Amino acid sequence: MDKIVIEGGRRLEGEVTIAGAKNASLPAFAATLLCPGPFTFTNVPDLKDIDTIIALLKDLGAAITRPEKGVVVVDTAGLKSYEASYDLVRTMRASCLVMGPLLARMGKARVSHPGGCAIGERPINLHLKGFGAMGAHTALDEGYVNITANDGLHGAKIYFDIVTVTGTANVMMAALAAEGATTLENCAREPEVVFLADMLVRMGADIKGAGTDRIVITGGRPLKAVETAIIPDRIETGTFIAAAAITGGSLRINRCNPADFEAVTIKFIEMGCTITEGNGWIEVSGPKRPAAVDIETAPHPSFPTDMQAQAMAVLAVADGTSVIHESVFENRYMHVAELRRLGADIRMKGANAFVHGVPGLSGATVMATDLRASASLIVAGLAAKGKTSVRRVYHLDRGYERIEEKLKKTGARISRQPDK
Ligand code: UD1
């Protein structure tokens, strides 16, 4: 296991290039189960979660090659299984995304129930409710969800009680095999959902309304494989904005899509950052000291929960008190106790965090507990005086492509070291 060691207090300056989005890659890879390939993906990030979805697809019978860096070719012509094992699902809960496409292609799916995770209970009841409304039968046995549609799927009207990103993607993919029209209400509007719908439409699907809260899918269209470039990772981009903000640095962030993270940009401008943007890039300069701002996380286009921890690290050194309200996940504050070890003054009351900005942080050994918490600790470590060691970085490697190398190029004193 590795740790990331940072000598904090250095201003970042330079350019970084954003990788393809993990959360766009995973549903797009799952969509290859809908019909035989070959599907070619470009701009694929080099991440642990990508290795996991590739292992899962191989397990199901897919032939996969990686002809060059960032390119993955998937062909599910030899699909032979409809089961996603416990071992794979427990390492990555987004493995559930194979449910919808397997159900559409094979009329059945058997997927290990993902259970809860560090940041919350994260049930999949709404995915299953959607499949059920289209005529599928679901049953749990030995921790596996068995979904069958012996008489095929039919169009339905489905309302998501809570906005769910992977739920919207999963049910949208299953609906491609349903006879007639399926209307999904209260859908996730995340750029990754729009990206998936765009890929499916290029495959031949009839999908209207992606990017709004109402998506209509007319099923039964023949599908074919397509070539797809993965969209840039908006959360990696936001993490670099936070890194510039906390160090008073100046970064040009290339190969990103500013329209996908406006709520984040606006909040960092409120904190005192200067941000300019163009087609595929943004430039951010951090203030001398950030100003306190209030943040409430909510589904897109609001402030993303996946940026809450990194923003909190910046607000920990802000001038004044910020109130952060986390409305998406019930337990997404695992980074708070670790930020306190660096000197942050944060008080919790239910889903609210009161962040009383301190003039500076000081380095310490801290423990990463989940993906975005890891990023938050790295952002904090960049500003903390002295040495910060972030342990358990395997969480980080699930979603960030060699972040320490990118930060090093912009002047951070940061390295990856073996940990015991
Ligand atoms: C996705 C993202 C994750 C992000 C999250 C919220 C991927 C692979 N992951 O996760 O990075 O943090 O969106 O933006 O894209 N819920 C239910 N029942 C369900 C499904 C969800 O109650 O059947 C609840 C969850 O517990 C949570 C909320 O809905 O409170 C939103 O979760 P959801 O959007 O489903 O998150 P994921 O799709 O798992």
Side-chain angles (χ1 to χ4, degrees):
M1 209 180 292
D2 292 342
K3 63 182 174 187
I4 300 282
V5 179
I6 310 165
E7 290 281 346
R10 289 173 62 103
R11 194 176 165 268
L12 301 190
E13 191 156 2
E15 299 198 16
V16 288
T17 300
I18 296 304
K22 166 180 90 71
N23 286 355
S25 307
L26 299 176
F29 275 51
T32 64
L33 293 165
L34 287 162
C35 67
F39 287 84
T40 301
F41 295 100
T42 56
N43 199 33
V44 179
D46 187 9
L47 303 172
K48 193 82 200 53
D49 275 9
I50 298 297
D51 297 339
T52 306
I53 191 94
I54 286 177
L56 172 53
L57 292 173
K58 277 188 176 163
D59 219 39
L60 295 169
I64 300 186
T65 54
R66 299 174 99 161
E68 57 185 283
K69 189 180 170 324
V71 180
V72 178
V73 182
V74 184
D75 194 339
T76 62
L79 188 64
K80 60 176 172 28
S81 164
Y82 54 92
E83 178 172 318
S85 73
Y86 174 70
D87 276 343
L88 287 166
V89 180
R90 87 185 154 83
T91 43
M92 187 184 74
R93 52 180 302 113
S95 303
C96 291
L97 281 163
V98 301
M99 282 178 177
L102 282 175
L103 188 60
R105 171 111 169 249
M106 301 184 96
K108 57 190 169 186
R110 179 173 160 83
V111 175
S112 177
H113 194 293
C117 84
I119 63 173
E121 282 184 26
R122 305 184 76 174
I124 52 162
N125 58 315
L126 300 173
H127 304 226
L128 303 183
K129 179 180 149 184
F131 302 144
M134 290 186 276
H137 174 76
T138 56
L140 192 73
D141 106 75
E142 296 180 328
Y144 280 75
V145 187
N146 291 304
I147 314 163
T148 44
N150 294 335
D151 302 324
L153 297 168
H154 55 74
K157 281 193 185 332
I158 296 163
Y159 172 76
F160 292 106
D161 301 282
I162 301 175
V163 176
T164 160
V165 179
T166 50
T168 302
N170 231 343
V171 178
M172 181 164 74
M173 289 192 276
L176 297 177
E179 211 184 307
T182 299
T183 305
L184 309 181
E185 299 280 4
N186 201 25
C187 295
R189 291 177 284 165
E190 268 65 3
E192 293 77 18
V193 172
V194 178
F195 163 78
L196 174 66
D198 174 62
M199 173 180 160
L200 298 172
V201 167
R202 288 187 296 107
M203 286 167 64
D206 181 346
I207 300 175
K208 301 214 163 55
T212 73
D213 55 7
R214 181 176 217 250
I215 300 179
V216 182
I217 304 116
T218 305
R221 299 284 157 100
L223 300 174
K224 62 172 193 327
V226 291
E227 189 171 325
T228 302
I230 303 295
I231 55 171
D233 195 314
R234 63 196 166 97
I235 306 301
E236 187 194 11
T237 312
T239 303
F240 281 108
I241 295 175
I246 202 168
T247 61
S250 184
L251 290 181
R252 181 181 167 100
I253 305 176
N254 295 315
R255 220 196 284 160
C256 63
N257 187 4
D260 287 348
F261 48 86
E262 279 178 350
V264 172
T265 315
I266 291 166
K267 277 294 157 191
F268 279 89
I269 290 171
E270 282 180 29
M271 287 182 214
C273 291
T274 305
I275 295 185
T276 48
E277 55 187 54
N279 190 8
W281 59 269
I282 81 162
E283 283 177 1
V284 50
S285 297
K288 251 202 169 82
R289 186 175 181 193
V293 302
D294 294 343
I295 292 178
E296 175 152 355
T297 67
H300 193 77
S302 293
F303 194 91
T305 173
D306 283 353
M307 271 303 296
Q308 181 255 107
Q310 303 90 312
M312 185 186 284
V314 179
L315 295 174
V317 296
D319 186 8
T321 296
S322 309
V323 182
I324 298 182
H325 180 79
E326 170 60 53
S327 80
V328 181
F329 292 112
E330 63 274 20
N331 194 27
R332 201 165 207 181
Y333 280 129
M334 309 271 282
H335 44 285
V336 169
E338 300 301 299
L339 287 174
R340 283 192 193 123
R341 284 180 54 73
L342 299 173
D345 179 0
I346 304 167
R347 281 173 226 176
M348 298 299 308
K349 198 159 200 299
N352 292 321
F354 297 86
V355 186
H356 304 291
V358 294
L361 300 172
S362 56
T365 297
V366 287
M367 201 75 90
T369 49
D370 65 67
L371 171 55
R372 306 304 170 187
S374 324
S376 154
L377 296 172
I378 288 190
V379 169
L382 291 171
K385 208 163 161 222
K387 187 167 113 179
T388 297
S389 300
V390 182
R391 303 186 64 185
R392 295 203 186 147
V393 290
Y394 57 87
H395 291 292
L396 191 74
D397 295 336
R398 286 190 42 219
Y400 289 90
E401 196 182 85
R402 291 179 287 281
I403 194 170
E404 73 279 11
E405 288 176 20
K406 293 186 183 181
L407 288 168
K408 199 175 195 165
K409 281 195 190 130
T410 62
R413 216 174 268 147
I414 183 168
S415 61
R416 178 181 289 258
Q417 298 176 10
D419 198 5
K420 43 184 183 318

